[in-house]
Amino acid sequence: MRATAPIRTWFALVLALTLAACGSAKDEGRTTLVIQRFFGSCEAEYGANTDIASAEGECGIMTSIINAFEKANPDIEVKQNVVFWPGYDQLTAQLAANDAPDLVTMHGSVIADYQARGLLDPLGPDLAAIGITPDQFTPAARRAVTINGRVWGMPLDSWATLWHINMNLFRKAGLVENGRPVLPHSPDALLAQAEQFGRRTGKPYFVAPTANEYASFTRNFYTMVMQQGGRVYTGPRHANFQTPEARRALELFRTLYRRGLMTRNMDYSSAVSGFLNGAGGVFLVGTWMVQDFDTASRKPDRPLSNGYAVVPYPAIFAKDVTFADGHNWVMPHDPDRTPAERQAARKFLKFFAAHDIDWSRTGHLPAFSRVVEADAWQALPHREDLARLTETATPLPKQIRRQFPIETIVGQEAGAAITGAKSVDQALTDMERRVNAVLQHI
């Protein structure tokens, strides 16, 4: 016999109340921790994975660590908001709406923008409460989170541009000695080696994303100026690009481009694909590609098969230094955050600190010195070659704000000079004027 409409409605109401009661019982006593992060979404592959050791890549390892944390802390529910990289526009909108997450991934170069406006809580006391002190961080990681002697975040890693090398092509070019790549240590040596590489392989020395990609230009430009002892900023609101050091840096890359020693018309994705397929000898890209390229080198019958090496930026000029940045967890200010939510955030940070070595499998440099010194980290592929970066990686001074939008301006002007769209002097003049316009309106 079919139930009448009133009876069906009554049953539906009872069922809804029962399910609601079950849900309340399940969630009773759980603290909700809201985190916001980038590094992509990979729910189909890693959405339920708690085996951190089996995960690969930034997204896979990040997702698996969070899953494992939630499994180990059943009293805490983690709500993730995965944002499109880097997510700062969304974060700013959330802060304006008084809807701040509890923890957010943030580049070290960006922390000062939010800290100066009182939008972040200092994390030093919270970290100390869980046994984490700044002396445990690597020098590069410590610089990333420290402003005026206070700690404003927990570093996840440090990253820098590396020289990813196709050793099979380097051997063909006669640029391998005792199994190691022969690296240039002067502008003249770089040009000579790049010419030799081109003659013997028929390919450009550098694989470079020169189309619609500005970050790469900026990072290489900063590194080259820093290696000459030049200062790209003389104060919080004063760019300093019309210098001999800046001119030499751009002219060197312009010469490489004009002589056909760099690939052309590649965006970022095609440059990654190009390097994997043997388009050139050296790909200047960050630490995040180490695991992917190493994995590719272990596959048979590929251009990188048994032929991948990666090293820090060689000292082309006088100083051994590389422009760097890093990823960090920061806590947006929220006056309504409860003690339980803050305690959940502390547990989350402690868990991530304990898994720093797992995160470093991405290729990023560890944030903690104990991990750099650990046999397990040094046994990972290529890490022995990369360890010195934890000392030489150098960010811009913390008082330089708006580093993300400035990165685009510097990259646009550097790219215009390198590809010949502007003279080097005109590009540096325009670069300095445009960046100063940003800095002087803060």
Side-chain angles (χ1 to χ4, degrees):
M1 184 176 67
R2 298 180 62 185
T4 62
I7 291 176
R8 288 201 302 270
T9 302
W10 185 83
F11 275 125
L13 178 61
V14 170
L15 178 61
L17 291 173
T18 302
L19 290 174
C22 291
S24 297
K26 179 182 177 183
D27 295 336
E28 187 176 357
R30 297 186 83 194
T31 300
T32 299
L33 179 67
V34 181
I35 67 164
Q36 185 158 299
R37 67 168 181 86
F38 41 77
F39 302 116
S41 179
C42 46
E43 290 299 301
E45 187 172 6
Y46 291 105
N49 183 54
T50 57
D51 180 8
I52 301 171
S54 69
E56 294 185 352
E58 288 178 320
C59 185
I61 295 174
M62 171 67 68
T63 302
S64 300
I65 293 177
I66 294 171
N67 291 342
F69 169 78
E70 201 167 18
K71 181 181 179 181
N73 295 274
D75 57 325
I76 299 173
E77 178 189 16
V78 179
K79 288 189 175 179
Q80 290 190 65
N81 184 16
V82 181
V83 295
F84 183 74
W85 187 92
Y88 300 131
D89 289 342
Q90 185 169 335
L91 175 61
T92 300
Q94 289 172 301
L95 288 166
N98 294 320
D99 187 26
D102 295 306
L103 292 169
V104 176
T105 48
M106 183 172 284
H107 292 83
S109 58
V110 177
I111 290 176
D113 286 328
Y114 289 87
Q115 178 270 341
R117 285 184 162 80
L119 299 174
L120 299 180
D121 284 350
L123 273 185
D126 293 277
L127 295 178
I130 54 176
I132 298 173
T133 51
D135 60 296
Q136 298 173 18
F137 302 150
T138 66
R142 191 162 54 246
R143 284 193 291 268
V145 296
T146 306
I147 301 175
N148 297 328
R150 303 185 74 185
V151 173
W152 293 88
M154 192 187 83
L156 266 168
D157 59 54
S158 299
W159 58 254
T161 297
L162 304 175
W163 279 40
H164 302 264
I165 298 172
N166 184 323
M167 291 290 284
N168 296 326
L169 290 175
F170 258 49
R171 288 189 190 92
K172 189 174 181 180
L175 294 174
V176 175
E177 289 182 1
N178 300 320
R180 306 279 299 173
V182 177
L183 301 175
H185 291 285
S186 72
D188 289 342
L190 172 57
L191 290 172
Q193 288 190 14
E195 295 278 10
Q196 177 178 322
F197 184 93
R199 286 194 303 273
R200 297 192 182 185
T201 67
K203 298 185 177 185
Y205 186 79
F206 283 123
V207 176
T210 57
N212 299 319
E213 162 61 29
Y214 304 113
S216 178
F217 283 134
T218 304
R219 294 162 188 165
N220 287 308
F221 171 69
Y222 282 162
T223 293
M224 290 289 195
V225 176
M226 287 176 170
Q227 288 196 349
Q228 298 173 74
R231 297 175 62 196
V232 285
Y233 297 91
T234 54
R237 298 185 179 183
H238 295 284
N240 182 45
F241 299 136
Q242 298 185 77
T243 65
E245 294 87 357
R247 192 169 294 108
R248 277 193 288 271
L250 289 190
E251 285 178 344
L252 177 57
F253 277 108
R254 183 186 178 99
T255 301
L256 288 161
Y257 186 86
R258 191 173 61 245
R259 295 184 185 178
L261 304 174
M262 299 169 60
T263 56
R264 299 190 177 195
N265 302 318
M266 284 185 170
D267 61 13
Y268 180 82
S269 296
S270 59
V272 171
S273 176
F275 181 71
L276 287 168
N277 288 290
V282 179
F283 187 16
L284 301 177
V285 73
T287 46
W288 52 88
M289 293 306 300
V290 171
Q291 189 179 37
D292 290 335
F293 291 156
D294 184 72
T295 299
S297 75
R298 298 172 191 277
K299 297 178 180 177
D301 303 323
R302 299 292 304 154
L304 275 184
S305 297
N306 298 314
Y308 171 61
V310 58
V311 295
Y313 220 106
I316 302 295
F317 293 95
K319 298 182 67 175
D320 185 9
V321 60
T322 304
F323 167 73
D325 203 338
H327 304 116
N328 311 274
W329 287 112
V330 299
M331 179 178 284
H333 180 63
D334 180 358
D336 296 326
R337 183 170 293 120
T338 68
E341 290 166 344
R342 196 162 193 117
Q343 181 59 22
R346 289 174 178 167
K347 284 186 176 180
F348 185 86
L349 294 172
K350 186 174 183 178
F351 194 83
F352 256 82
H355 288 279
D356 190 43
I357 191 168
D358 293 299
W359 179 245
S360 72
R361 287 193 289 108
T362 58
H364 295 310
L365 298 165
F368 290 84
S369 296
R370 60 175 165 72
V371 177
V372 177
E373 296 162 0
D375 292 342
W377 183 78
Q378 295 188 14
L380 292 172
H382 314 293
R383 286 349 189 249
E384 188 176 357
D385 289 325
L386 302 181
R388 71 178 172 86
L389 263 175
T390 59
E391 301 285 343
T392 61
T394 304
L396 293 181
K398 268 287 179 283
Q399 65 266 32
I400 308 302
R401 291 162 57 189
R402 300 290 190 273
Q403 290 189 33
F404 254 60
I406 286 174
E407 180 178 81
T408 299
I409 295 173
V410 173
Q412 288 173 340
E413 298 297 340
I418 292 167
T419 59
K422 288 184 179 181
S423 70
V424 168
D425 284 341
Q426 186 62 56
L428 291 173
T429 300
D430 293 345
M431 185 189 295
E432 186 170 292
R433 172 181 53 76
R434 293 177 63 192
V435 171
N436 278 335
V438 173
L439 294 175
Q440 290 165 13
H441 284 85
I442 292 175

